[in-house]
């Protein structure tokens, strides 16, 4: 497995990471702790060293699963987790990034992950009521105390990134980025290049849509969080499947799958981009890892991008209310 450097502070991870959220949260189904452990162990065996979780996934239980599974490999892996929300009655209840809340969240995460330190600590979403300087300053203190190694942000705007980075260097930014959500290309990616900050795309396969597993009739469970994504609505599926068909055309040429082409395209954008696809299935994990060995030439990358530019995504990625919590 190739490795990539995120930021200039020493953070180095596998070129492909693993998004752990879906193991037991959000997708309308979950796998057992035993199955999760087997899957995460398989990821480590195949060279993945970068694992992403958060206190709100569950809430709390995802960190426990990840911590337990990765404990035998703790010195070999990089664990990222996140703070930034109040949690009441086992649900997110608004943003909260006060210094006291950050410290409370970190102590909880350390306990659930059963570790002495967090490799990469993200602010999950920007808190409009707490200056980002206070947030960055608190994380800086936690780094000085040895409880955290690296500082990250998720879905902030460009000004927030600059202000945070001025207080303490940001090593990584986690944003949604894929062939069918390319908004970070406009302002975020140029800024990250300027400031030498790594990018960790979540939902690099469009929450599963770009794998080709969906068609016009695919049903979502009532508790699947993709129910809140207008672009998964039945009436827009046909239009959005144009992206999958594009990937399928290139996949045939490369003897690959649509998911592998989607990931290979992302990996080819910048040497400091590390996607974190998630899965609950070992064969999908192996498929994702296979994207590392797919070499797309400059002409092929340009061709995929050119064809994608002709297409228009139908529907927003989230409801309007949820979208307002991001800086994009």
């Amino acid at each position: 497995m190739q490795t990539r450097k995120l930021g200039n502070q020493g953070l180095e991870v596998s070129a492909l990471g693993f998004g752990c959220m879906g193991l037991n949260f959000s997708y309308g189904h979950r796998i057992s702790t035993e199955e999760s452990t087997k899957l995460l162990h398989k990821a480590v065996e195949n060279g993945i060293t970068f694992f992403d979780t958060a206190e709100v996934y569950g809430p709390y239980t995802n960190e426990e699963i990840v911590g337990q599974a990765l404990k035998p490999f703790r010195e070999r892996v990089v664990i990222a987790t996140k703070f930034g929300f109040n949690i009441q009655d086992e649900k997110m209840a608004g943003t909260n990034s006060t210094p006291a809340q950050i410290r409370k969240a970190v102590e909880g995460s350390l306990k659930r992950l059963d570790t002495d330190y967090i490799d990469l600590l993200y602010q999950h979403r920007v808190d409009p009521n707490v200056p980002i300087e206070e947030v960055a300053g608190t994380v800086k203190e936690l780094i000085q105390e040895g409880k955290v190694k690296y500082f990250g942000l998720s879905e902030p705007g460009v000004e927030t990134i600059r202000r945070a980075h001025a207080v303490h260097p940001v090593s990584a930014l986690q944003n949604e980025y894929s062939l069918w959500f390319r908004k970070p290309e406009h302002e975020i990616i140029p800024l990250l290049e300027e400031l030498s900050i790594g990018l960790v795309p979540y939902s690099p396969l469009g929450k599963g849509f770009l794998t080709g597993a969906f068609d016009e009739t695919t049903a979502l469970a009532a508790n699947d969080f993709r129910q809140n994504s207008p672009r998964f609505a039945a009436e827009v599926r046909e239009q959005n499947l144009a992206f999958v068909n594009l990937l399928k055309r290139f996949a045939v040429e490369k003897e690959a799958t649509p998911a592998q082409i989607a990931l290979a395209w992302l990996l080819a954008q910048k040497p400091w981009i590390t996607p974190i696809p998630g899965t609950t299935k070992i064969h999908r994990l192996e498929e994702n890892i296979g994207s590392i060995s797919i070499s797309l030439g400059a002409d092929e990358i340009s061709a995929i991008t050119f064809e994608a530019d002709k297409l228009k995504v139908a529907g927003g990625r989230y409801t309007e209310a949820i979208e307002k919590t991001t800086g994009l």
Side-chain angles (χ1 to χ4, degrees):
M1 174 72 72
Q2 304 163 14
T3 61
R4 294 190 167 198
K5 293 180 179 179
L6 303 178
N8 287 335
Q9 291 70 53
L11 179 57
E12 188 168 351
V13 300
S14 51
L16 202 70
F18 190 103
C20 300
M21 180 184 76
L23 296 176
N24 73 326
F25 183 68
S26 287
Y27 282 100
H29 68 281
R30 62 183 64 193
I31 59 176
S32 68
T33 298
E34 292 73 21
E35 291 172 309
S36 296
T37 298
K38 182 179 179 181
L39 183 63
L40 294 178
H41 284 191
K42 189 71 172 180
V44 174
E45 290 168 11
N46 281 275
I48 291 180
T49 63
F50 189 28
F51 296 86
D52 183 88
T53 182
E55 65 169 356
V56 296
Y57 300 161
Y60 306 130
T61 52
N62 196 265
E63 285 183 321
E64 293 172 349
I65 291 169
V66 172
Q68 177 181 321
L70 296 180
K71 190 169 180 61
F73 316 105
R74 185 65 189 96
E75 298 304 315
R76 293 167 50 188
V77 299
V78 171
I79 298 177
T81 193
K82 311 175 193 75
F83 66 86
F85 289 103
N86 286 313
I87 300 174
Q88 297 176 357
D89 299 324
E90 298 188 352
K91 293 181 180 180
M92 289 186 291
T95 55
N96 185 346
S97 285
T98 62
Q101 180 65 22
I102 295 172
R103 287 187 170 276
K104 177 183 176 183
V106 165
E107 292 302 326
S109 291
L110 288 170
K111 183 177 180 179
R112 289 185 292 273
L113 291 168
D114 194 14
T115 184
D116 295 327
Y117 61 93
I118 294 165
D119 295 286
L120 175 58
L121 181 67
Y122 293 105
Q123 182 188 39
H124 207 153
R125 289 293 185 272
V126 174
D127 185 341
N129 298 314
V130 180
I132 195 63
E133 289 81 2
E134 287 189 27
V135 174
T138 302
V139 176
K140 181 177 182 179
E141 292 172 0
L142 289 164
I143 290 172
Q144 292 169 342
E145 294 165 16
K147 295 180 178 180
V148 173
K149 287 191 173 183
Y150 304 101
F151 177 33
L153 297 171
S154 182
E155 299 257 329
V158 293
E159 187 60 29
T160 299
I161 298 170
R162 286 192 182 278
R163 289 167 53 197
H165 194 70
V167 176
H168 186 83
V170 177
S171 295
L173 191 79
Q174 183 174 133
N175 275 44
E176 183 168 355
Y177 182 39
S178 70
L179 197 64
W180 79 336
F181 183 74
R182 293 170 55 196
K183 193 172 181 179
E185 294 176 355
H186 305 321
E187 294 183 320
I188 296 296
I189 288 179
L191 177 63
L192 299 186
E193 188 142 44
E194 174 192 336
L195 299 178
S196 297
I197 298 172
L199 179 62
V200 179
Y202 75 85
S203 297
L205 297 175
K207 299 178 176 64
F209 193 86
L210 297 179
T211 65
F214 283 80
D215 61 26
E216 294 90 339
T217 63
T218 304
L220 293 171
N223 58 344
D224 190 316
F225 85 119
R226 289 171 293 190
Q227 292 278 8
N228 293 317
S229 178
R231 62 182 54 183
F232 276 87
E235 61 269 20
V236 300
R237 293 267 183 91
E238 183 176 357
Q239 180 174 336
N240 288 334
L241 282 169
F243 286 88
V244 180
N245 293 333
L246 166 62
L247 290 168
K248 285 180 177 179
R249 294 204 304 273
F250 283 89
V252 169
E253 296 175 12
K254 305 296 286 189
E255 297 183 347
T257 67
Q260 289 174 330
I261 298 299
L263 291 172
W265 178 86
L266 263 183
L267 289 163
Q269 299 307 303
K270 298 290 181 182
W272 37 264
I273 289 179
T274 298
I276 51 168
T279 184
T280 58
K281 301 176 177 65
I282 286 180
H283 76 273
R284 286 292 191 187
L285 169 67
E286 294 171 340
E287 178 184 352
N288 292 342
I289 291 171
S291 66
I292 299 293
S293 61
I294 295 174
S295 177
L296 294 176
D299 290 346
E300 292 170 313
I301 296 165
S302 296
I304 292 170
T305 305
F306 178 76
E307 292 299 323
D309 284 340
K310 297 178 184 178
L311 306 176
K312 184 176 181 180
V313 182
R317 57 184 187 141
Y318 300 123
T319 62
E320 185 176 349
I322 296 175
E323 194 68 66
K324 286 180 179 178
T325 68
T326 76
L328 297 179

